Amino acid sequence: MAIDTQTTTPRPHPAAPADDRLSGRAKLVLFVLCAAQFMVALDFSVLNVALPVLGRDLGLSQSALQWAVTAFALPSGGFLLLFGRIADLYGRKKLFLTGLAVFGAASLLATLAWDPASFLAGRALQGLGAAVIVPTGMSLLTTTFPEGPLRDKALGISGTLLSLGFTVGMLLGGVMTDTLGWRSTMGLLAAAAVIVLVLAPGLLPESRTPERPRLDVPGAVTVTGGLLALIYALSTAAQRGFGGVDVWGTLVAGLALLGAFVAVESKSPAPLVSLPMLRRRTVAWGNLAGLVTFSMMSTVVFVLTLYLQETLGLSSFRTGLVFGVQGIASVLAGSYAPKVIGRFGARRTLIGSLFGQGLFGIALLGIGSGSGALLATVAVSVASMCHLGAIISYGLTVTSGVPDGEQGLATGLVTTTQQVGLTIGIPLLGVLATTQASLFDGVRTVLAVDAAIVLAAGVLVAVGLGREKA
C-alpha cells in the first residue's frame, strides 16, 4: 500500500492499474466512501420539509424548531478540524468506522425519539458522527487514489454525490414525510449507516502519519470553541436576525477564539493546523473559492425555495421537482468535470466555474412575480453544474502536492470550509429576502448580491492563483 509505507505493509495500490482505470476493488472502495459522504449530505436537507410535522408530534415550538438543524450543525462543523487531525495521528480507517457507528446509533435514537430532548440529543450525536466521517472519508479517498486522473475521477464522483445528496434530501424528505412520517427520514439514515459499516472494514485500507506527535490541545480547544461559537451565532441569526445579545456575544467570542487559535498555532511545536500550509496559495485561495461557492449556492437554493412556494404558489412536490432537475444537472457535471480538469487544469476550471456560477446567478434576476419557474429551473441547474465544477476543482487545488501524512489536515480544511460555507450563506444574505418591501423584491436583492460576491471571488482567486500550477 503506497499510503504510508512506514506504518503499513507495501502492496499494489488498489486504485492504480496500468491503464489508469478504476479496478473492481477500487470501485468498491469508492462506493463505500461516497455512500458515507452522500449519507451525511442527505442528513443536511432530508429533515427540513418535515420540521413542522415533527414539531407537532414531539411538542417542539415554532421558535425551537431551529434546534433540529442547529443541534446537528454545531458539532458537525465545530469538530471537523480536530477529528481530521486525530485521524492523521491515530488511524483514518479506525476513526471512520467509529464515526459511522456513532452516526448510525444517533440516527436510531432520533428515529425512536419520545420527546424533544431525546430527539435533539440524537441530532447532536449525528452531527458528531458526521464530523468524524467527513474528514476521515475524504482523507481516505485522497490517500487511496493517487494524485492525477484517478483522484480527479474519484473526487468528481464524490463531489457529484455530495451535491446530489442535498438536492435528493429535499425531494425525498417531502415524499417520505407525506407517506411514512417524519421518523422514516431518520430511519433511512440509520439503515444507510449500517450498510456502510458492514462493507467498510474489509475494503478500506488503514493509513496514518508515520510520526506520533502530541495532539495540540490548546489549538484544538480554541479552534473547536471558535467554530462552535461562530456556527451557533450564524445559525441563530438565520432564525432571529442579528439583533440578539446572544448572537453578537457568541459571534465576538468565536472570532476572538479563532484569533487566539492563530496565535497558539504560531508557537506550537506540533500545531493542529500548519500555518505554512495555510500560506500556500493553493490552500488559501482554494479554500476561499470553496467557502464562496458553497455559501452562495446554498443561499440561492434557499431563496428560490421561498420564491417558488411563496411567490409563485408551487406545491412542495413541484418545488422538489425543480431541484430534482438541478440534481440531474449536477450528476451530468460530475461525470464531465474530471475530463474538463484533465484538459484545462484545476486552476482554470475553478476560476471558470466561479464565473459561470456568478453569471447564471445574474440570469436568475430575470424571474418575475407571476412567472419564472422555467427560467429558475434552467438557470439554477446550469449554475449548479458550474458549482459542482468548483467543488471538485477546489478540492483538487487544496489537496494537490500535500504529503499523505498531512492529507487529513488538508481535507479537514476542505470539509470545514464546506460546512462553514453551508452555515454562513443563509444567515448572512437570507435575511435580506425577508426584510424588503416584498418577498419577491427581497429574493431579487439576495440573488444580485450573491452573484456579485461569486464574480468578485472569481477575480480574486484568478489573481491569487495566477502564478500557481494547477
Side-chain angles (χ1 to χ4, degrees):
M1 175 64 65
I3 295 173
D4 182 355
T5 55
Q6 298 187 50
T7 58
T8 55
T9 303
R11 57 180 177 175
H13 204 295
D19 60 2
D20 279 345
R21 289 181 296 182
L22 294 174
S23 67
R25 181 178 178 82
K27 290 178 181 177
L28 291 174
V29 170
L30 184 59
F31 169 79
V32 167
L33 294 175
C34 288
Q37 300 286 348
F38 180 82
M39 175 184 69
V40 173
L42 197 67
D43 198 11
F44 270 94
S45 58
V46 72
L47 194 65
N48 287 351
V49 294
L51 288 178
V53 178
L54 181 154
R56 290 192 296 270
D57 186 27
L58 291 180
L60 273 170
S61 66
Q62 191 71 28
S63 61
L65 281 179
Q66 64 155 321
W67 282 101
V69 178
T70 304
F72 179 88
L74 280 170
S76 68
F79 288 96
L80 277 167
L81 276 176
L82 174 61
F83 285 128
R85 189 53 176 162
I86 291 175
D88 277 346
L89 300 179
Y90 301 107
R92 294 159 186 143
K93 175 182 175 181
K94 188 184 305 180
L95 209 62
F96 180 76
L97 296 177
T98 302
L100 283 171
V102 171
F103 187 90
S107 299
L108 181 60
L109 174 60
T111 303
L112 302 174
W114 54 93
D115 59 14
S118 59
F119 176 75
L120 293 177
R123 289 293 286 163
L125 288 172
Q126 276 184 324
L128 192 64
V132 178
I133 293 169
V134 172
T136 53
M138 183 66 77
S139 58
L140 281 168
L141 188 149
T142 56
T143 54
T144 299
F145 296 89
E147 192 170 324
L150 285 174
R151 185 181 292 180
D152 294 357
K153 182 182 294 186
L155 284 174
I157 295 171
S158 177
T160 299
L161 290 177
L162 179 68
S163 179
L164 188 60
F166 296 111
T167 304
V168 169
M170 295 177 66
L171 181 59
L172 194 60
V175 173
M176 293 184 71
T177 300
D178 286 345
T179 57
L180 301 173
W182 70 265
R183 294 179 188 273
S184 65
T185 62
M186 297 292 97
L188 173 67
L189 297 171
V194 170
I195 293 171
V196 177
L197 190 58
V198 168
L199 295 174
L203 289 172
L204 298 180
E206 181 59 281
S207 67
R208 64 173 69 89
T209 57
E211 302 85 12
R212 284 296 187 89
R214 295 178 60 184
L215 183 65
D216 176 19
V217 176
V221 170
T222 51
V223 73
T224 301
L227 287 172
L228 286 172
L230 186 65
I231 292 169
Y232 171 82
L234 294 174
S235 298
T236 305
Q239 303 294 325
R240 296 193 276 110
F242 284 93
V245 175
D246 59 332
V247 173
W248 281 107
T250 51
L251 185 61
V252 170
L255 293 175
L257 284 169
L258 291 178
F261 169 69
V262 174
V264 167
E265 297 307 273
S266 66
K267 299 177 181 178
S268 174
L272 185 69
V273 173
S274 168
L275 294 184
M277 175 181 283
L278 290 179
R279 286 193 288 268
R280 291 188 187 197
R281 288 173 178 260
T282 50
V283 173
W285 293 106
N287 275 299
L288 173 65
L291 183 69
V292 170
T293 192
F294 271 101
S295 60
M296 295 301 101
M297 197 66 218
S298 64
T299 303
V300 166
V301 171
F302 172 74
V303 297
L304 282 183
T305 301
L306 294 178
Y307 165 73
L308 292 170
Q309 294 191 43
E310 302 297 331
T311 302
L312 297 187
L314 269 62
S315 65
S316 298
F317 178 71
R318 291 181 66 189
T319 301
L321 290 180
V322 170
F323 293 110
V325 174
Q326 177 197 17
I328 294 172
S330 296
V331 171
L332 292 174
S335 65
Y336 282 100
K339 297 177 183 178
V340 174
I341 292 171
R343 179 168 182 176
F344 297 103
R347 182 185 66 84
R348 291 180 181 177
T349 303
L350 175 58
I351 296 166
S353 296
L354 288 174
F355 281 117
Q357 182 178 331
L359 290 173
F360 280 95
I362 292 176
L364 283 166
L365 294 175
I367 58 176
S369 59
S371 63
L374 179 59
L375 173 61
T377 302
V378 174
V380 77
S381 295
V382 180
S384 291
M385 295 176 77
C386 298
H387 168 63
L388 202 284
I391 291 175
I392 298 169
S393 51
Y394 109 81
L396 285 169
T397 299
V398 172
T399 59
S400 294
V402 176
D404 278 0
E406 295 183 346
Q407 279 294 332
L409 174 57
T411 56
L413 289 170
V414 169
T415 51
T416 298
T417 296
Q418 292 175 1
Q419 305 305 315
V420 173
L422 289 167
T423 302
I424 67 174
I426 294 173
L428 287 178
L429 294 185
V431 67
L432 295 176
T434 57
T435 56
Q436 302 293 305
S438 69
L439 177 62
F440 176 65
D441 290 338
V443 167
R444 283 176 53 84
T445 299
V446 171
L447 291 174
V449 174
D450 187 290
I453 291 174
V454 176
L455 291 173
V459 173
L460 290 173
V461 171
V463 173
L465 293 179
R467 295 190 298 273
E468 198 73 26
K469 292 182 179 180

